[in-house]
């Protein structure tokens, strides 16, 4: 394929105009992402239309006196969620830029570079922002492009419009959400010869929907590619296997709209009519498709990452690439430490972070801690762990989240029988994904004997004396409860670090706690709640038809011995004490999650100047529960004792509840009475089939209520240990600051344990911390996390047809897994992170997932809808105990429901019926307007 010549555009003034062949990734700050990537395509000897770039220096020169500094300051001070304020500032910036005069030397440079392309050559004038087409955020389509621009004057006018488009509402809002300083961004402009496109479109070198890296996806339509990019047309759609060069999917679109250039400049949009008697025909043939796929693969190899490209085929049949950017929406591939053995074949990984109700990434220290914990589990089960700090073989990380290799489970008869059933009650959607994989020939059964599993589980169970614990719980349940309490007391004793320990000794204790003391919690405590749920199932079998799920679920309401509900009710009692004290109530006047009152309360608490009932009440609560937090399984997350802001906000919200009948302690007590009454009804029903059956049902349900609440206890103890570890790490961080190795004590959480030890030995760590903090901040913006991920990047859930949730059954009705019976209609409140969130009493809480740090919000919620979870996941259990109608496992609930929308939640049927937006609806709090990075 012959390439159009690329002119060597002259340089007027240092760096004003550069030919595209002169630019590349090293000039990103001067030419922006779009131009840099086009230059890289040229370096890879790929076909790119000739052109030049007006650099960011030209933009800064032209706008230096425009008064943008005031707008920059306003944007820097504005809250990311203040969309009207951001829009007003963006409009002011656009007016200022459009009013500037282009300096004479810049205008002359553009005219000369344009004339080098040929007299009156039609060109495309494209914005190229410095915060655009980047590996971590593509910002696709946020600045303007002008097509078929003819003449130097028209080019200069389009340049000014491109400059102004740096300040579109959408771009400004997105940059605010991403935390990019308004003063740090600038705009270059690319001018390229137009391709006389017979057909054009987009090409993804990896499948952006399924995550498959070996599939290329091509959309095509006649005329200019703008029709496909803008979504104005239903294009032809093709999926190609890059390995076999086979076209896997063909979907011929209507292609009813064509956008073509108009002689003299501009474009026109025309309706395309189908030829009579002919069915839909593709606009590209197989040879062209395979040629495009090859160009895309060459671009991917050059950039080292999957690419999203725009392309055009001219009237002579030559293919051109007009743009390339990384596909930022692909979830990162699972990665193992360098020393870990390479596993053959495709692997199945389960996201442990999501299973724990955590959607945000973990800090590097949080990940390091789990590697050591996972190694201790593997060694206790007699698995070989060559490097404990790297984690056991099944441990991997992807997108700074925890994943575990479930391939042996999927390929085992025993694993297939047990694990999906566990997920049915803990995370139902993951169970469905795993069952779909059972039919994949890559994961056929290779292990049919249970002995291999027993060989590993047996030593753990014997060491923790699990059989004895189960027998004791059956026949002496009160003794079993006391022994669980005694274990907790002994466990807390192991967390104590001797006073006067050196930093190295503190680090040794951290590794001892994580690598030896923590794991025994699970086999010593978990058998009791497991027995409780097993006895509930056994009672259901004894009851026969009278023991269906609807009859048994009420038994789990108002459970005793649940440390999480005890914590929430203790906070409620504190709120009640504050309400009874006029001086205490007064300090909360006007307080809410989203105002400045709460930070002032935190300051006063730390200064010990709050009224006595508030000061002592908070201190007492934190003395017992201060080790807890939102996202508490991450060592890097502050505990409530570190920062009580969230708790004080929750207290302020509790004080807004005016109906005494809705008081959470009353609701909980009523739930407990209702549960006991249901037990008596079920015993009576069993008595109709014999006295022995009735006695067995009573004994089973009594133990269910006694032990099921202990489900929260293992995690409670684990989080106690993590809080103790965090405290030691903060002390180490303080010493590293004193020795000049770190800037801030909390920087220690952006290192791993080995790096901290190296720092104590003298290594400088600031640069590494800065890189880690930046990567963590970028990952915080990721919304979609796969429950199950294959080692080749495939997301199996995306391959399933008719997944449960939106679109299933009745149109408009969202479906999930029933978690807590009851029906409620109310206003939805979508909350992605509980810190700083506000939930009015009676609102329906809609969340991606929850952990114990969320549960104080449950006390005043009218209902609960979660994207994750199963009927016995954490959020479901707590919701049941409070009698809140709840549904879990509702796909994309936080996107499909908007704050203020009236919804009806039926916790027994597992349905959410949106009744339409209230107060105009609007996006959920804290969510950026819909963006199209990597997918347009």
């Amino acid at each position: 394929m012959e390439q159009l010549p690329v002119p060597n555009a002259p340089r007027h003034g240092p760096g004003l105009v550069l030919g595209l062949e002169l630019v590349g990734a090293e000039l990103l700050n001067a030419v922006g992402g779009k131009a840099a990537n086009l230059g890289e395509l040229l370096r890879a000897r790929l076909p790119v239309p000739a052109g030049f770039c007006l650099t960011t220096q030209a933009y800064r020169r032209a706008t230096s006196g425009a008064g943008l500094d005031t707008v920059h300051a306003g944007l820097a001070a504005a809250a990311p969620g203040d969309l009207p304020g951001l829009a007003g500032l963006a409009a002011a910036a656009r007016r200022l830029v459009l009013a500037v005069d282009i300096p004479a030397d810049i205008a002359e440079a553009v005219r000369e570079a344009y004339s080098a392309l040929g007299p009156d050559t039609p060109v495309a004038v494209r914005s190229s922002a410095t915060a655009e087409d980047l590996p971590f955020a593509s910002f696709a389509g946020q600045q303007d492009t002008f097509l078929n621009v003819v003449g130097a004057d028209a080019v200069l006018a389009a340049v000014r419009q491109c400059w102004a488009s740096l300040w579109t509402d959408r771009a400004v809002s997105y940059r605010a959400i991403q935390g990019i300083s308004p003063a740090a961004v600038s705009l270059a402009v690319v001018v390229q010869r137009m391709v006389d496109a017979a057909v054009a479109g987009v090409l993804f070198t990896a499948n952006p929907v399924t995550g498959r890296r070996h599939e290329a996806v091509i959309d095509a339509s006649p005329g200019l590619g703008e029709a496909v990019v803008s979504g104005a047309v239903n294009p032809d759609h093709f999926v190609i296997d890059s390995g076999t060069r086979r076209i896997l999917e063909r979907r011929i679109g209507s292609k009813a709209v064509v956008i073509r250039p108009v002689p003299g400049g501009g474009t026109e949009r025309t309706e395309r009519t189908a030829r009579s008697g002919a069915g839909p025909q593709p606009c590209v043939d197989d040879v062209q498709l395979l040629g495009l796929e090859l160009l895309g693969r060459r671009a991917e190899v050059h950039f080292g990452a999957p690419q999203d490209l725009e392309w055009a085929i001219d009237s002579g049949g030559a293919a051109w690439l007009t743009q390339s950017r990384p596909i930022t929406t692909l979830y990162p591939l699972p990665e193992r430490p360098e020393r870990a053995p390479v596993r053959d074949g495709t692997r199945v990984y389960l996201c442990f972070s999501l299973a724990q109700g955590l959607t945000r990434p973990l800090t590097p220290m949080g990940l390091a801690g789990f590697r050591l914990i996972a190694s201790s589990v593997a060694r206790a089960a007699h698995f070989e762990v060559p490097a404990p700090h790297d984690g056991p073989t099944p441990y991997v990380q992807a997108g700074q989240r925890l994943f575990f290799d479930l391939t042996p489970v999927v390929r085992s008869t025993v694993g297939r029988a047990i694990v999906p059933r566990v997920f049915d009650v803990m995370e139902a959607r993951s169970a469905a994904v795993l069952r779909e994989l059972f039919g994949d020939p890559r994961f056929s059964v290779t292990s049919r004997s249970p002995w291999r599993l027993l060989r590993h589980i047996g030593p753990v169970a014997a060491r923790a004396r699990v059989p004895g614990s189960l027998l004791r719980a059956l026949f002496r349940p009160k003794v079993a409860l006391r022994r669980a309490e005694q274990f907790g007391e002994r466990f807390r004793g192991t967390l104590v670090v001797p006073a006067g320990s050196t930093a190295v000794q503190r680090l040794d204790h951290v590794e001892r706690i994580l690598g030896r003391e923590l794991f025994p919690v699970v086999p010593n405590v978990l058998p009791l709640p497991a027995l409780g749920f097993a006895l509930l199932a056994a009672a259901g079998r004894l009851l026969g038809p009278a023991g269906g799920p609807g009859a048994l679920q009420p038994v789990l309401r108002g459970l005793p011995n649940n440390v999480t509900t005890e914590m929430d009710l203790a906070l409620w009692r504190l709120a009640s004490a504050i309400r009874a004290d006029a001086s205490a109530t007064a300090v909360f006047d006007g307080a809410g999650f989203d105002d400045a009152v709460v930070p002032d309360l935190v300051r006063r608490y730390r200064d010990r100047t709050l009224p006595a009932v508030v000061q002592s009440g908070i201190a007492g609560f934190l003395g017992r529960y201060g080790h807890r937090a939102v996202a508490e399984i991450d060592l890097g997350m502050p505990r409530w004792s570190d920062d009580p802001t969230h708790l004080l906000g929750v207290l302020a919200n509790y004080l807004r509840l005016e109906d005494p009948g809705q008081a959470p302690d009353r609701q909980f007590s009523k739930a407990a009475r209702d549960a006991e009454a249901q037990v008596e009804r079920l015993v009576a029903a069993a008595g109709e089939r014999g006295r022995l059956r009735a006695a067995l049902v009573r004994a089973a349900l009594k133990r269910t209520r006694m032990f099921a609440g202990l489900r929260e206890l293992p995690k409670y103890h684990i989080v106690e240990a993590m809080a103790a570890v965090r405290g030691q790490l903060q002390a180490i961080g303080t010493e590293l600051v004193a020795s000049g190795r770190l800037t801030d004590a909390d920087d220690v959480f952006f290192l791993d344990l080995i790096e901290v030890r190296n720092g104590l030995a003298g290594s400088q760590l600031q640069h590494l911390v800065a890189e880690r903090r930046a990567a963590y901040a970028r990952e915080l913006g990721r919304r979609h996390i796969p429950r199950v991920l294959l080692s080749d990047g495939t997301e199996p859930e995306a391959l399933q047809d008719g997944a449960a949730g939106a679109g299933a059954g009745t149109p408009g009705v969202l479906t999930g897994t029933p978690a807590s019976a009851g029906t409620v209609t109310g206003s939805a409140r979508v909350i992605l992170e509980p810190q700083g969130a506000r939930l009015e009493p009676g609102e329906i809480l809609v969340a991606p997932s929850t952990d114990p740090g969320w549960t104080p919000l449950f006390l005043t919620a009218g209902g609960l809808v979660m994207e994750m979870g199963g009927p016995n996941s954490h959020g479901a259990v707590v919701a049941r105990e409070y009698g809140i109608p709840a549904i879990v496992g509702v796909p994309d609930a936080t996107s499909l429901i908007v704050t203020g929308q009236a919804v009806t939640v039926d916790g027994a049927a597992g349905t959410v019926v949106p009744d339409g937006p209230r107060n105009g609806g609007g996006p959920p709090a804290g969510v950026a307007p819909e963006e199209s990075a990597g997918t347009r």
Side-chain angles (χ1 to χ4, degrees):
M1 177 186 307
E2 185 178 354
Q3 184 170 317
L4 291 177
V6 181
N8 288 314
R11 305 171 190 238
H12 289 257
L16 287 178
V17 172
L18 298 172
L20 287 179
E21 80 284 3
L22 299 177
V23 306
E26 75 282 357
L27 293 178
L28 175 65
N29 290 333
V31 300
K34 187 179 282 89
N37 290 347
L38 287 170
E40 291 295 330
L41 289 175
L42 283 168
R43 291 178 180 180
R45 306 189 65 80
L46 288 162
V48 174
F52 60 90
C53 176
L54 188 62
T55 66
T56 56
Q57 182 181 337
Y59 167 81
R60 291 194 178 97
R61 278 263 316 278
T63 61
S64 60
L68 284 174
D69 290 348
T70 302
V71 177
H72 291 168
L75 289 170
D82 181 13
L83 300 184
L86 292 173
L89 290 165
R94 292 195 298 274
R95 288 193 298 270
L96 291 172
V97 173
L98 289 173
V100 303
D101 291 326
I102 299 178
D105 61 334
I106 295 176
E108 179 59 26
V110 171
R111 291 180 185 278
E112 185 174 339
Y114 174 71
S115 67
L117 293 174
D120 291 332
T121 297
V123 293
V125 182
R126 303 171 180 264
S127 303
S128 181
T130 52
E132 180 181 45
D133 294 353
L134 306 177
F136 55 88
S138 79
F139 293 75
Q142 296 204 3
Q143 280 82 43
D144 288 345
T145 287
F146 300 90
L147 301 177
N148 198 38
V149 179
V150 178
D153 290 341
V155 169
L156 288 169
V159 164
R160 186 185 280 106
Q161 291 286 342
C162 285
W163 284 346
S165 74
L166 182 63
W167 304 103
T168 62
D169 294 357
R170 183 179 178 187
V172 166
S173 174
Y174 193 34
R175 290 197 294 265
I177 293 295
Q178 295 285 334
I180 296 174
S181 169
V185 294
S186 189
L187 193 88
V189 180
V190 173
V191 179
Q192 273 185 293
R193 183 176 289 160
M194 282 285 293
V195 176
D196 180 19
V199 61
V202 296
L203 158 64
F204 295 93
T205 65
N207 193 318
V209 176
T210 66
R212 287 177 166 169
R213 267 49 170 194
H214 61 85
E215 290 181 354
V217 178
I218 297 175
D219 286 349
S221 191
L224 299 177
E226 176 67 15
V228 177
V229 172
S230 66
V233 67
N234 181 19
D236 293 345
H237 177 81
F238 306 92
V239 179
I240 302 169
D241 188 307
S242 300
T244 64
R245 308 274 287 159
R246 204 162 50 90
I247 300 173
L248 304 175
E249 181 182 341
R250 302 173 191 266
R251 190 169 67 239
I252 308 306
S254 59
K255 304 181 290 292
V257 173
V258 178
I259 298 177
R260 295 194 186 280
V262 176
T267 61
E268 65 176 2
R269 173 176 171 153
T270 60
E271 301 293 324
R272 182 172 177 267
T273 57
R275 291 178 296 174
S276 60
Q281 298 295 313
C283 59
V284 285
D285 59 33
D286 289 3
V287 173
Q288 291 171 320
L289 286 172
L290 295 176
L292 288 169
E293 188 278 329
L294 181 58
L295 290 178
R297 196 152 19 111
R298 288 173 57 193
E300 179 179 292
V301 169
H302 179 76
F303 286 104
Q307 295 293 297
D308 162 10
L309 302 111
E310 294 179 16
W311 56 269
I313 297 177
D314 64 25
S315 55
W320 300 90
L321 300 180
T322 58
Q323 192 164 304
S324 185
R325 59 168 68 90
I327 308 176
T328 57
T329 54
L330 289 173
Y331 197 78
L333 292 173
E335 57 186 31
R336 287 279 298 138
E338 293 181 4
R339 291 177 290 179
V342 177
R343 308 298 295 271
D344 294 332
T346 306
R347 314 296 296 181
V348 180
Y349 296 110
L350 174 81
C351 185
F352 182 77
S353 291
L354 280 184
Q356 288 296 309
L358 188 63
T359 55
R360 63 186 294 138
L362 272 74
T363 58
M365 184 59 75
L367 293 167
F370 262 100
R371 288 198 294 272
L372 206 53
I373 294 168
S375 293
S376 74
V377 174
R379 286 183 297 183
H382 291 189
F383 286 100
E384 184 179 354
V385 183
H389 285 90
D390 289 344
T393 303
Y395 176 101
V396 297
Q397 296 169 197
Q400 299 177 35
R401 277 97 179 166
L402 298 171
F403 285 79
F404 281 97
D405 189 347
L406 282 193
T407 313
V409 170
V410 174
R411 307 195 73 169
S412 161
T413 302
V414 177
R416 290 188 174 197
I418 296 175
V419 173
R421 293 183 182 179
V422 173
F423 280 114
D424 282 335
V425 296
M426 300 305 297
E427 217 298 290
R429 290 172 64 190
S430 295
V433 175
L434 285 177
R435 287 190 174 101
E436 285 288 326
L437 291 174
F438 294 167
D440 190 321
R442 291 175 297 175
F443 309 119
S444 58
V445 172
T446 57
S447 176
R448 302 183 184 277
S449 170
W451 295 115
R452 182 178 179 185
L453 177 65
L454 292 174
R455 191 168 67 246
H456 293 293
I457 292 180
V460 177
R463 190 173 178 182
R465 300 177 180 176
V466 171
S469 297
L470 294 175
L471 290 172
R472 189 179 303 109
L474 280 172
F475 298 107
R476 303 178 66 194
K478 292 183 179 179
V479 173
L481 269 181
R482 282 199 301 272
R483 288 177 69 94
E485 293 171 0
Q486 292 165 358
F487 172 82
E489 293 169 1
R490 292 194 305 273
F491 175 72
R492 277 185 281 273
T494 67
L495 307 181
V496 176
V497 174
S501 296
T502 66
V504 172
Q505 288 170 336
R506 290 180 187 277
L507 188 57
D508 291 339
H509 283 294
V510 162
E511 296 190 354
R512 170 185 60 82
I513 292 170
L514 294 173
R516 192 169 73 226
E517 307 293 351
L518 200 149
F519 170 65
V521 169
V522 176
N524 276 280
V525 179
L526 192 59
L528 296 184
L531 177 65
F533 285 107
L535 290 174
L536 182 69
R541 290 181 176 275
L542 289 169
L543 285 162
L552 292 174
Q553 192 182 81
V555 173
L556 297 174
R557 291 195 166 180
L559 289 172
N561 306 317
N562 186 319
V563 288
T564 300
T565 54
E566 289 170 359
M567 173 189 74
D568 295 341
L569 292 172
L571 192 61
W572 172 258
R573 286 192 294 272
L574 174 56
S576 300
I578 293 171
R579 190 191 299 273
D581 185 297
S583 62
T585 303
V587 303
F588 283 89
D589 284 348
F593 288 103
D594 52 358
D595 56 37
V597 177
V598 171
D600 183 60
L601 290 175
V602 173
R603 179 189 58 76
R604 292 182 61 184
Y605 170 72
R606 288 173 173 157
D607 293 342
R608 301 185 179 184
T609 60
L610 288 171
V613 67
V614 182
Q615 189 75 39
S616 62
I618 293 173
F621 181 87
L622 292 176
R624 181 166 184 185
Y625 299 110
H627 61 280
R628 308 223 73 164
V630 176
E632 60 192 4
I633 66 169
D634 185 354
L635 288 169
M637 292 298 291
R639 310 290 113 172
W640 287 338
S641 56
D642 298 326
D643 182 3
T645 301
H646 178 61
L647 286 180
L648 285 161
V650 172
L651 283 171
N653 209 49
Y654 285 177
L655 294 173
R656 300 165 67 87
L657 186 63
E658 298 177 354
D659 182 0
Q662 295 300 314
D665 52 351
R666 295 189 184 184
Q667 292 292 321
F668 184 80
S669 297
K670 181 180 181 299
R673 291 194 301 271
D674 291 345
E676 295 292 351
Q678 180 68 1
V679 169
E680 294 304 320
R681 282 191 289 270
L682 293 174
V683 170
E688 296 176 1
R689 303 175 65 183
R691 294 175 62 183
L692 177 60
R693 189 179 296 264
L696 291 172
V697 168
R698 181 184 297 279
L701 295 182
K702 178 181 178 181
R703 285 157 178 77
T704 291
R705 287 192 54 74
M706 186 179 292
F707 295 135
L710 295 175
R711 174 198 181 282
E712 298 289 308
L713 190 56
K715 186 173 184 180
Y716 182 87
H717 288 322
I718 289 170
V719 173
E720 281 185 301
M722 288 186 162
V725 165
R726 177 179 166 83
Q728 297 305 314
L729 289 170
Q730 284 179 308
I732 295 169
T734 300
E735 184 158 329
L736 287 171
V737 170
S739 63
R741 304 289 184 262
L742 293 178
T743 304
D744 184 273
D746 280 353
D747 286 349
V748 74
F749 299 112
F750 290 86
L751 303 166
D752 64 28
L753 294 164
I754 293 176
E755 290 159 352
V756 169
R757 197 171 290 278
N758 291 340
L760 292 173
S763 297
Q764 287 292 336
L765 303 168
Q766 288 97 329
H767 181 68
L768 181 59
V769 167
E771 290 180 352
R772 297 269 178 80
R773 282 189 177 275
Y776 179 79
R778 291 194 295 268
E779 200 58 42
L780 277 173
R782 189 183 299 279
R783 288 287 309 280
H784 170 68
I785 315 298
R787 287 160 181 76
V788 178
L789 182 67
L790 302 189
S791 53
D792 64 359
T794 301
E795 297 185 26
E797 189 173 16
L799 302 176
Q800 296 182 8
D801 295 325
T810 308
V813 175
L814 311 182
T815 63
T817 302
S820 180
T823 301
V824 61
T825 299
S827 181
R829 175 73 64 172
V830 178
I831 297 179
L832 304 181
E833 290 283 352
Q835 295 98 330
R838 183 170 189 157
L839 184 72
E840 296 291 340
E843 285 185 322
I844 311 298
L845 171 59
V846 183
S849 188
T850 63
D851 67 5
W854 285 73
T855 58
L857 295 175
F858 286 22
L859 289 185
T860 54
L864 173 68
V865 177
M866 296 197 318
E867 294 181 336
M868 291 292 299
N872 279 339
S873 60
H874 166 80
V877 169
V878 177
R880 268 199 305 275
E881 295 193 22
Y882 294 153
I884 302 170
I887 304 169
V888 297
V890 181
D892 303 318
T894 60
S895 300
L896 298 172
I897 300 172
V898 298
T899 292
Q901 186 175 25
V903 297
T904 297
V905 175
D906 188 333
T911 59
V912 184
V913 182
D915 296 333
R918 290 175 55 177
N919 302 323
V927 179
E930 181 183 358
E931 55 87 12
S932 53
T935 59
R936 297 187 180 80

